[in-house]
Amino acid sequence: MMTIIEKSVLAMVILRVLSGSIEVSAGLLMLKLNNLEKAFYINTMLALVGPTVLIVTTAIALFGLADKIPVTRIVCLFTGITLIIISSHIK
């Protein structure tokens, strides 16, 4: 039997696969370049990809579940995401 995949789930899967592909490609590029400064720069760029994918995939899920989740829970989720992003940038 063929199952129907929800559009929200498919969008989340595509984003996560794309994100993983970017991570693997960046790792291979660092290995090929074999230069600490360039590897550090690539790693810094990756720091932007992770939180962005997290926010977008969570937003897709929340829009898909908006009628099923209470507003207070949505606020708590966005607060948690915000705290994760803030904590990742604190030195």
Side-chain angles (χ1 to χ4, degrees), residues 20-41:
S21 299
I22 291 169
E23 294 274 344
V24 170
S25 298
L28 292 173
L29 183 60
M30 286 184 220
L31 188 61
K32 180 181 180 194
L33 294 174
N34 195 25
N35 181 304
L36 184 58
E37 290 177 12
K38 290 178 183 176
F40 180 71
Y41 178 75

Side-chain angles (χ1 to χ4, degrees), residues 8-89:
S8 298
V9 173
L10 183 59
M12 292 172 68
V13 167
I14 290 170
L15 276 171
R16 285 295 174 183
V17 169
L18 181 63
S19 173
S21 299
I22 291 169
E23 294 274 344
V24 170
S25 298
L28 292 173
L29 183 60
M30 286 184 220
L31 188 61
K32 180 181 180 194
L33 294 174
N34 195 25
N35 181 304
L36 184 58
E37 290 177 12
K38 290 178 183 176
F40 180 71
Y41 178 75
I42 293 168
N43 191 60
T44 303
M45 291 289 109
L46 284 176
L48 299 173
V49 174
T52 303
V53 172
L54 172 67
I55 291 168
V56 173
T57 55
T58 303
I60 290 169
L62 287 177
F63 286 127
L65 295 171
D67 57 336
K68 300 174 187 173
I69 296 178
V71 175
T72 54
R73 192 167 181 190
I74 292 172
V75 170
C76 287
L77 285 168
F78 274 115
T79 303
I81 292 169
T82 303
L83 290 173
I84 289 170
I85 292 169
I86 290 170
S87 69
S88 69
H89 294 338

